[in-house]
Amino acid sequence: AILSPKERPLAGLSAIVTSGPTHEPIDPVRYIANRSSGRQGHAIAAALRDAGAAVTLVSGPVTLPDPIGVTVRHVETAADMLAAVETSLPADIAVFVAAVADWRVAAESTRKIKKTAEGPPSLALAENPDILATIGHHADRPGLVVGFAAETDDLLANARRKLEKKGADAILANDVSPEGGVMGGAENTIRLVTAEGVEEWPTLAKDAAAERLVEWIATRLGRRAA
Ligand code: CTP
Ligand code: CA
């Protein structure tokens, strides 16, 4: 069926989405990672596609299938994810959903680290690049940049700080307290934080939250009545 412009409000636009965790190697058999299933990011990539956008999904290691009709670039580390995002520019829209590991092991061992009588090794860490902040301040910055804030405390204050610091147009603030069940779960309770204020969304299944975000994006880009 041919969909009307109303049903494909983002036709002619391109979008980049990051999703999933990153894996930062310790040695050939071990890594540091974040908890993330990739469900929310993959759902957002699919919703942008359904709205008519040409979507590149930059995904860390997940067990989900690649969404159909989306260009998927598989990466492991934060450094690889940043490189894949940068080479996917220019884009009209970017949504950073990945749970990027904040730190990598400073000196990855090329040999398996063995247990010894000296006891456990200590791992020196180095900070990873901030992909959202890099793209939020990029010379080739997409016209609309959206990030997430996963917080257990001071949700809105931290979300506002991230909005400002990372150069985003919106931050979807998400309470990830262990009692909330967001990480790996099927639902999200989101507050959309912009310079204009805070929009409280009801608890939604991750694909419904993705559709709601795409409606917000289409409205913001003037592709849809508010
Ligand atoms: N993000 C990113 N690259 C990183 C870290 C985070 O692109 N190295 C993005 C995430 O995809 C998300 C947003 O930044 O869209 C916020 O991630 P979050 O982990 O909540 O924020 P951090 O800046 O890493 O701060 P902290 O973990 O200390 O709260
Ligand atoms: Ca982080």
Side-chain angles (χ1 to χ4, degrees):
I2 296 165
L3 295 175
S4 70
K6 185 165 173 279
E7 289 165 298
R8 293 171 62 83
L10 302 182
L13 300 183
S14 58
I16 301 171
V17 179
T18 69
S19 185
T22 65
H23 285 183
E24 311 296 330
I26 297 170
D27 69 13
V29 299
R30 305 182 178 97
Y31 59 81
I32 297 175
N34 272 10
R35 261 188 227 289
S36 170
S37 63
R39 289 171 74 160
Q40 185 65 80
H42 279 53
I44 289 169
L48 288 164
R49 171 205 65 200
D50 289 346
V55 180
T56 300
L57 173 63
V58 181
S59 177
V62 296
T63 55
L64 300 171
D66 289 352
I68 291 169
V70 164
T71 301
V72 184
R73 304 186 62 176
H74 294 276
V75 298
E76 286 277 316
T77 66
D80 295 344
M81 186 173 275
L82 174 60
V85 168
E86 283 194 293
T87 57
S88 300
L89 292 171
D92 300 297
I93 300 159
V95 186
F96 297 90
V97 198
V100 181
D102 290 318
W103 304 284
R104 66 181 178 278
V105 176
E108 173 192 350
S109 173
T110 57
R111 316 302 305 172
K112 182 180 170 188
I113 302 170
K114 299 295 291 177
K115 288 183 284 183
T116 67
E118 280 90 78
S122 36
L123 296 175
L125 301 180
E127 193 163 320
N128 272 330
D130 188 317
I131 300 165
L132 166 55
T134 303
I135 302 306
H137 298 105
H138 206 278
D140 227 354
R141 184 190 189 278
L144 190 61
V145 173
V146 178
F148 272 73
E151 308 289 348
T152 56
D153 304 286
D154 303 322
L155 182 66
L156 292 179
N158 279 315
R160 282 195 200 95
R161 207 169 299 137
K162 286 175 183 174
L163 180 78
E164 176 93 358
K165 189 170 157 213
K166 294 173 186 254
D169 298 295
I171 292 283
L172 306 191
N174 209 351
D175 186 340
V176 292
S177 306
E179 54 286 4
V182 164
M183 301 306 280
E187 293 180 331
N188 265 342
T189 307
I190 286 169
R191 285 171 180 70
L192 185 137
V193 179
T194 63
E196 288 78 51
V198 181
E199 221 177 272
E200 288 203 24
W201 294 1
T203 297
L204 296 169
K206 288 182 178 177
D207 34 12
E211 281 171 27
R212 176 123 186 191
L213 174 62
V214 170
E215 283 170 21
W216 181 85
I217 289 172
T219 305
R220 173 92 179 204
L221 294 176
R223 297 291 186 118
R224 182 176 176 281

